[in-house]
Amino acid sequence: MLKLLSSSSSSCLHGQLHSLRRGPTELASPVLRVLGSLTRLTRPTPNSARQAFFCSDRSDGSDQVVEIEFKGAGAEAEAEAESKSSSAIVSTNPRPEDYLTVLALPLPHRPLFPGFYMPIYVKDPKLLAALQESRKRQAPYAGAFLLKDEPGTDPSLVSGSETDKNIHDLKGKELFNRLHEVGTLAQISSIQGDQVVLIGHRRLRITEMVDEDPLTVKVDHLKDKPYNKDDDVIKATSFEVISTLRDVLKTSSLWRDHVQTYTQHIGDFNFPRLADFGAAISGANKLQCQKVLEELDVYKRLELTLELVKKEIEISKIQESIAKAIEEKISGEQRRYLLNEQLKAIKKELGLETDDKTALSEKFRERLEPNRENCPPHVLQVIEEELTKLQLLEASSSEFNVTRNYLDWLTSIPWGNYSDENFDVLRAQKILDEDHYGLNDVKERILEFIAVGKLRGISQGKIICLSGPPGVGKTSIGRSIARALNRNFFRFSVGGLSDVAEIKGHRRTYIGAMPGKMVQCLKNVGTANPLVLIDEIDKLGRGHAGDPASALLELLDPEQNANFLDHYLDVPIDLSKVLFVCTANVVEMIPNPLLDRMEVISIAGYITDEKMHIARDYLEKTTREACGIKPEQVEVTDAALLALIENYCREAGVRNLQKHIEKIYRKIALQLVRQGASDEAAVADQIQSLPDRPAAVEVQLVDTDETQVEDDKLDQKVVSSKNQTAAESLEGNDHDHSSETSAEEVTIQMALPDEPAVVEVQVADTDEPVDSKDAKETEKIQEGEATKTVEKVLVDSSNLADFVGKPVFHAERIYDQTPIGVVMGLAWTAMGGSTLYIETTQIEEAEGKGALHVTGQLGDVMKESAQIAHTVARAILLDKDPDNHTFFANSKLHLHVPAGATPKDGPSAGCTMITSMLSVAMKKPIKRDLAMTGEVTLTGRILPIGGVC
């Protein structure tokens, strides 16, 4: 560390330093020698003398102090400085200032300052040959000029390789135009290959171009402007530069090397050289350095250099802070790591803590202990073997993690842990009825399961499959069954499942292996007898990873699942106590071997009456609570629900019905909130319109519904004042005006959004008696704000379209009185079913013209049914009306099924077609309230309808 000590210090300190005085030639440190030369910059007048001391910290901890005397600058000092300077630079003949025509060398990155080395690469063969020839002719000088940035480009975005490539492409006039005017006369120190090492000597200015290839220019040698060496401002500026350089030299050894090299080739420092040195070693950009190079005013150059060096100080401070922060972070982490390791070692020695393997083994044994008595012996044997294996493995090995995960799963399964089941049939019936209306077949089957378990004293698992259209409650009934049986519930969907490993698990040899869904189920629920709902079993996929339907055969087989083997655990698991409930939309999509293992319960859907009960007792109640609406605020009539079911929600399930009910209640909630906001604004406006005087306002909520409980009544007193000063004066004069006060009551009745109520606002005037004008205004407010009770939002069939839009379905009855040959049939659809008409008419009647023509986009099966119906109708007509037995033989008939854009197929329209043809033959219409369906054989037998009879 370098310190500058002034002679103005205390005499004691001066005496200590004076005793360590040494001559300038005895300086051991190059840095001290350089700073010693810097002191000649501050020589005072000849009549005065001044001493300064530089102190340097040695490596051994001792300080080296040097006293330097500043004497007046005379001709001898100048001559001595010139001799040193000339001796430092290589002597050549002729002198450097005699060179007025030089080769121009472009510098891409930074300008070359006098006294500094700079290696450059010359790719131009002609220029390189010219430099070598100049060096051979004892004229090793050239001009080094900074290259200007290419117009329109950002120099910060151009890489170094791109810049060098651009320089090599520049020739002649183009290169001349890109060079800065002011450069440096550089001595060619050495040439090795295409690398040329330059040493800067003095400033040059380009005057004109002499030759283009290689570029040769005429130059003028520049000298610094005259300056006063004794000027206090220049001295102060130079001292500040020196002080700043001293601080910078502390942080960077590279800068100290710059100082030593600079003094070897330049000699002693003076003010101009000090400015050049500071600018050259700074990290400023090339334009700022070029500005210093071009500046010939020594004072301004010192100012520019001082600014650049100050920036270096700031950068050094930031660098130190970053380095310190990183060092603290690293040292803190290392310290924490060492302390943790020491703490582990101490605890291990004291027996307070064991190593990781021992702790893991103890954890697994503690987890297994509650179920050890119920755990099968073969499972206990596997667990003990794996625990022993874990102790022998290294914690860093991959097999250690595999064994640890395997033990984690083995000890997490509830071996022999069963939940207490409910054998109370009445309680189970109540729970099932609370959650679902209808579904009698499902409820009856569950009650049978409970009854058998009660008689046996123990229950076994079963596999039940609920099939039906979407939205009939197949999935939700599973949770209700679990609650009724007091079993834990677990659901997983197999829709689109194409990997057998999801059911049977992965082998442990695979990376990231996991058990199957059933093992995960047992770990999650914590009991060995849960209710497992396997959803969408009819939508199983099949891919390259196997057939999951085949993997489910073992899981859903009552004879096999007592020893279910998961690929990951590789030990048998007893699933015989698990109750499996599967759901499916189409039973035909389930593979037959899998279907054979399940007990199928069909849920056809809900009729209109059942939908009414479900909507009223379940859906409406749940939706009303979800929307925050009270029962007394809304009324949905039965006619509205019936119209909603018949005109909007004809599906077999009630999912779409629930969506429409939620839509109705959302609109009602918005209507109530808007009404409440408008009523509150109206009351606020009325209160603000009262006379502007101090008053006590009593607001009392009077319940108009006698059935409301006492807790719903509100009695709140709000005291407000519009004039605080008047209120305070009123308190002070309360005794004087007590006999003169009069009361005024104003009643404002308002409808609240939550319940029918009347808000009574009483305004008691505490000021002087009101005049006749105020009384008239109060009476006007009382008459204008008449009682507004909250009317229930009524949803009826007349305004149902305002809540849910126009009807989706319309009445399918086309005829009020069905004409001859028209019969209504019944058809199965995805929504549960619908009605359709079958129409038959006679086109032509002539001898031997008997034929049948069908239309209405009928399928092949339905066309065959029409032909069978035509044959059977002919036989029936022969039996019932022998006189008209030739009708079908001589009549050409046209049979049509309306809604021709809808494809229709199926055998069940046979009896309907026969009835339609006989109606045309016998000239008799069919009853308007009669509909039929059923397949007819060729002998006239009607077959039962699938799923109905």
Side-chain angles (χ1 to χ4, degrees):
M1 184 177 68
L2 300 177
K3 300 177 182 177
L4 179 64
L5 305 177
S6 174
S7 60
S8 60
S9 304
S10 64
S11 61
C12 180
L13 181 61
H14 180 273
Q16 295 176 359
L17 296 175
H18 188 75
S19 63
L20 298 175
R21 181 181 306 171
R22 293 185 181 180
T25 59
E26 298 177 356
L27 296 179
S29 173
V31 179
L32 292 176
R33 188 184 307 115
V34 172
L35 293 176
S37 65
L38 292 178
T39 57
R40 296 187 177 91
L41 304 177
T42 57
R43 293 170 178 166
T45 58
N47 298 328
S48 62
R50 186 179 179 184
Q51 292 179 332
F53 302 90
F54 285 98
C55 179
S56 173
D57 294 339
R58 289 184 175 179
S59 60
D60 57 357
S62 61
D63 290 337
Q64 176 184 2
V65 182
V66 180
E67 176 186 353
I68 301 173
E69 294 185 1
F70 297 131
K71 298 181 179 180
E76 295 180 3
E78 290 291 338
E80 183 180 1
E82 290 295 334
S83 63
K84 287 186 178 181
S85 176
S86 60
S87 62
I89 302 177
V90 178
S91 177
T92 59
N93 189 21
R95 295 177 301 173
E97 55 267 22
D98 296 334
Y99 289 90
L100 301 179
T101 302
V102 294
L103 293 172
L105 299 178
L107 303 179
H109 305 298
R110 289 175 64 89
L112 176 62
F113 283 90
F116 279 87
Y117 279 102
M118 176 177 287
I120 65 172
Y121 290 91
V122 179
K123 300 296 183 182
D124 188 359
K126 291 185 178 181
L127 180 58
L128 185 61
L131 292 175
Q132 293 175 347
E133 183 65 25
S134 299
R135 197 160 181 267
K136 290 179 182 179
R137 291 188 291 105
Q138 299 299 319
Y141 288 95
F145 301 93
L146 182 66
L147 194 68
K148 297 179 182 177
D149 295 328
E150 187 175 355
T153 60
D154 187 356
S156 61
L157 301 178
V158 180
S159 64
S161 59
E162 294 177 351
T163 305
D164 294 340
K165 184 177 179 181
N166 295 337
I167 293 174
H168 301 153
D169 295 338
L170 296 176
K171 302 289 183 182
K173 187 68 175 178
E174 183 180 3
L175 178 61
F176 178 77
N177 294 331
R178 289 281 301 277
L179 296 178
H180 282 276
E181 291 185 0
V182 178
T184 308
L185 179 66
Q187 179 182 340
I188 303 173
S189 175
S190 65
I191 301 178
Q192 296 178 356
D194 58 352
Q195 185 184 45
V196 180
V197 180
L198 305 177
I199 304 177
H201 275 261
R202 58 178 60 200
R203 287 170 171 76
L204 301 175
R205 185 188 301 276
I206 297 176
T207 57
E208 61 177 319
M209 182 175 64
V210 178
D211 192 4
E212 292 189 2
D213 193 14
L215 182 61
T216 307
V217 295
K218 282 188 176 182
V219 294
D220 287 340
H221 293 262
L222 302 179
K223 293 184 180 181
D224 297 331
K225 294 180 180 180
Y227 64 95
N228 185 8
K229 295 182 179 181
D230 299 329
D231 186 85
D232 293 337
V233 177
I234 294 181
K235 288 181 180 180
T237 306
S238 63
F239 267 117
E240 183 63 24
V241 172
I242 294 172
S243 176
T244 309
L245 286 175
R246 181 195 62 187
D247 296 337
V248 175
L249 289 173
K250 296 177 186 178
T251 61
S252 176
S253 60
L254 180 63
W255 284 41
R256 291 193 288 270
D257 296 339
H258 279 303
V259 175
Q260 187 175 2
T261 305
Y262 187 81
T263 55
Q264 290 177 357
H265 296 279
I266 292 299
D268 295 337
F269 278 95
N270 54 27
F271 292 124
R273 292 172 183 172
L274 177 64
D276 290 345
F277 175 77
I281 65 175
S282 68
N285 60 42
K286 61 181 181 179
L287 295 180
Q288 291 176 331
C289 294
Q290 179 67 25
K291 189 175 180 181
V292 175
L293 185 66
E294 294 177 354
E295 184 59 58
L296 300 180
D297 190 326
V298 176
Y299 171 67
K300 292 183 179 180
R301 191 188 303 172
L302 282 172
E303 282 188 331
L304 294 174
T305 300
L306 180 61
E307 181 180 352
L308 298 182
V309 178
K310 287 291 185 182
K311 289 182 180 180
E312 290 298 321
I313 286 291
E314 297 299 325
I315 295 174
S316 299
K317 291 181 180 179
I318 297 174
Q319 178 184 356
E320 288 180 359
S321 63
I322 294 174
K324 184 178 180 181
I326 295 176
E327 184 179 356
E328 290 178 354
K329 181 179 179 181
I330 295 176
S331 61
E333 292 177 355
Q334 292 177 346
R335 182 172 178 272
R336 183 178 182 86
Y337 173 77
L338 292 175
L339 290 176
N340 284 332
E341 292 298 322
Q342 293 175 2
L343 182 62
K344 287 181 181 179
I346 293 172
K347 287 185 176 180
K348 188 174 181 180
E349 290 293 330
L350 296 176
L352 301 177
E353 182 178 313
T354 57
D355 57 1
D356 293 340
K357 292 189 290 186
T358 306
L360 282 173
S361 299
E362 292 180 356
K363 183 184 74 170
F364 292 144
R365 293 184 187 278
E366 291 176 359
R367 186 187 297 173
L368 182 64
E369 193 62 32
N371 298 327
R372 179 177 287 274
E373 296 181 358
N374 300 326
C375 186
H378 63 278
V379 177
L380 284 176
Q381 181 181 357
V382 173
I383 293 176
E384 291 297 333
E385 292 176 355
E386 292 296 326
L387 286 174
T388 304
K389 178 181 176 182
L390 186 69
Q391 293 294 328
L392 301 176
L393 294 173
E394 291 294 333
S396 59
S397 65
S398 58
E399 187 67 20
F400 180 84
N401 292 327
V402 173
T403 305
R404 183 186 61 184
N405 293 336
Y406 181 50
L407 283 170
D408 188 19
W409 282 102
L410 274 178
T411 55
S412 298
I413 295 177
W415 302 102
N417 183 20
Y418 301 104
S419 60
D420 298 330
E421 290 198 68
N422 170 40
F423 293 122
D424 189 349
V425 177
L426 298 179
R427 177 176 175 272
Q429 178 76 49
K430 181 180 179 182
I431 292 175
L432 293 173
D433 290 339
E434 285 178 357
D435 296 339
H436 292 81
Y437 182 85
L439 302 178
N440 294 325
D441 294 342
V442 182
K443 295 177 180 178
E444 192 71 18
R445 181 64 186 87
I446 299 304
L447 296 178
E448 293 171 1
F449 177 80
I450 296 176
V452 172
K454 184 175 183 180
L455 294 177
R456 291 189 57 189
I458 188 173
S459 63
Q460 292 292 327
K462 289 293 180 182
I463 297 95
I464 301 173
C465 180
L466 306 178
S467 67
V472 296
K474 301 185 299 297
T475 304
S476 60
I477 192 66
R479 195 178 298 275
S480 299
I481 294 172
R483 192 161 67 94
L485 297 176
N486 194 28
R487 290 194 177 200
N488 292 325
F489 178 77
F490 184 83
R491 171 192 172 272
F492 70 94
S493 177
V494 295
L497 187 68
S498 60
D499 190 0
V500 175
E502 291 290 331
I503 306 297
K504 300 277 289 181
H506 302 84
R507 300 287 181 185
R508 293 199 305 275
T509 54
Y510 297 123
I511 297 176
M514 288 186 64
K517 285 292 185 182
M518 277 312 304
V519 177
Q520 298 178 31
C521 162
L522 296 178
K523 179 181 179 181
N524 290 338
V525 298
T527 57
N529 63 336
L531 186 147
V532 179
L533 180 69
I534 304 177
D535 218 352
E536 309 293 349
I537 199 171
D538 59 328
K539 299 176 180 62
L540 277 169
R542 185 172 185 175
H544 67 281
D547 185 9
S550 301
L552 286 174
L553 293 177
E554 180 185 1
L555 181 65
L556 300 181
D557 191 341
E559 301 297 330
Q560 299 182 35
N561 60 12
N563 295 302
F564 177 74
L565 187 65
D566 185 86
H567 289 163
Y568 183 86
L569 295 184
D570 205 21
V571 293
I573 304 173
D574 185 10
L575 301 179
S576 60
K577 301 295 190 296
V578 178
L579 176 59
F580 291 97
V581 178
C582 306
T583 65
N585 296 125
V586 183
V587 179
E588 289 76 13
M589 299 294 294
I590 304 175
N592 288 332
L594 187 59
L595 184 64
D596 183 62
R597 287 164 168 77
M598 297 186 293
E599 180 182 350
V600 180
I601 301 177
S602 299
I603 305 175
Y606 300 104
I607 61 176
T608 302
D609 182 60
E610 291 176 333
K611 286 186 177 181
M612 287 285 294
H613 283 87
I614 294 172
R616 185 66 73 185
D617 299 337
Y618 300 93
L619 303 181
E620 189 179 6
K621 178 182 176 181
T622 305
T623 306
R624 186 170 55 243
E625 292 176 355
C627 295
I629 300 176
K630 296 184 179 180
E632 60 270 12
Q633 291 179 296
V634 63
E635 179 181 356
V636 181
T637 63
D638 293 339
L641 283 179
L642 182 61
L644 187 66
I645 294 170
E646 292 183 347
N647 299 333
Y648 297 88
C649 310
R650 289 190 180 181
E651 298 83 2
V654 293
R655 186 173 291 134
N656 193 33
L657 178 61
Q658 181 182 5
K659 293 178 182 177
H660 281 76
I661 292 176
E662 290 175 352
K663 187 176 182 180
I664 291 173
Y665 273 86
R666 286 197 302 268
K667 291 186 177 296
I668 292 174
L670 178 60
Q671 183 177 343
L672 291 175
V673 171
R674 284 177 174 172
Q675 180 182 352
S678 61
D679 292 342
E680 291 175 2
V683 171
D685 293 341
Q686 294 298 332
I687 293 176
Q688 291 179 0
S689 64
L690 293 175
D692 190 8
R693 60 180 179 275
V697 182
E698 180 179 355
V699 181
Q700 184 175 6
L701 178 66
V702 182
D703 193 359
T704 58
D705 190 354
E706 297 180 357
T707 62
Q708 293 291 323
V709 295
E710 292 296 323
D711 293 340
D712 293 334
K713 294 183 179 180
L714 177 66
D715 187 6
Q716 181 183 4
K717 295 183 178 181
V718 181
V719 178
S720 62
S721 177
K722 292 186 177 181
N723 193 334
Q724 186 66 25
T725 305
E728 293 175 356
S729 62
L730 178 63
E731 280 186 289
N733 300 326
D734 188 27
H735 304 289
D736 300 332
H737 298 283
S738 59
S739 60
E740 299 178 2
T741 56
S742 62
E744 176 189 1
E745 294 185 357
V746 180
T747 301
I748 302 176
Q749 295 178 345
M750 178 193 71
L752 293 176
D754 291 338
E755 58 184 7
V758 176
V759 178
E760 181 179 9
V761 181
Q762 294 181 350
V763 181
D765 191 2
T766 58
D767 205 351
E768 296 179 358
V770 298
D771 52 9
S772 59
K773 183 177 181 180
D774 293 340
K776 290 180 181 180
E777 291 180 356
T778 304
E779 184 178 357
K780 185 177 181 180
I781 294 174
Q782 187 174 5
E783 293 177 357
E785 292 296 330
T787 302
K788 298 180 183 178
T789 59
V790 173
E791 298 181 359
K792 284 187 175 181
V793 178
L794 183 63
V795 181
D796 201 353
S797 57
S798 59
N799 63 348
L800 181 64
D802 298 337
F803 295 92
V804 292
K806 296 181 179 180
V808 179
F809 305 101
H810 301 277
E812 294 179 353
R813 184 177 296 278
I814 304 175
Y815 309 101
D816 294 334
Q817 179 63 42
T818 53
I820 295 172
V822 178
V823 183
M824 180 178 290
L826 300 175
W828 177 92
T829 64
M831 294 184 181
S834 64
T835 59
L836 75 162
Y837 285 98
I838 294 181
E839 303 171 343
T840 305
T841 184
Q842 184 180 16
I843 301 175
E844 183 181 355
E845 185 177 5
E847 186 70 24
K849 292 291 186 179
L852 177 64
H853 179 63
V854 294
T855 57
Q857 198 173 350
L858 308 182
D860 293 338
V861 178
M862 205 165 184
K863 290 179 181 178
E864 293 176 356
S865 297
Q867 294 294 333
I868 294 173
H870 189 264
T871 303
V872 174
R874 179 180 295 189
I876 293 175
L877 184 62
L878 179 62
D879 183 42
K880 298 297 182 180
D881 190 3
D883 298 336
N884 194 23
H885 68 280
T886 60
F887 175 79
F888 288 102
N890 300 329
S891 299
K892 183 177 181 180
L893 301 180
H894 182 192
L895 185 145
H896 176 68
V897 182
T902 304
K904 309 170 199 63
D905 201 4
S908 299
C911 65
T912 311
M913 293 179 178
I914 293 174
T915 306
S916 177
M917 293 178 187
L918 291 177
S919 174
V920 173
M922 302 175 69
K923 303 294 191 294
K924 292 182 179 180
I926 307 301
K927 295 180 180 180
R928 61 186 299 271
D929 56 353
L930 179 65
M932 59 188 69
T933 184
E935 181 181 356
V936 178
T937 65
L938 196 58
T939 59
R941 298 286 183 178
I942 300 179
L943 301 180
I945 307 301
V948 178
C949 298

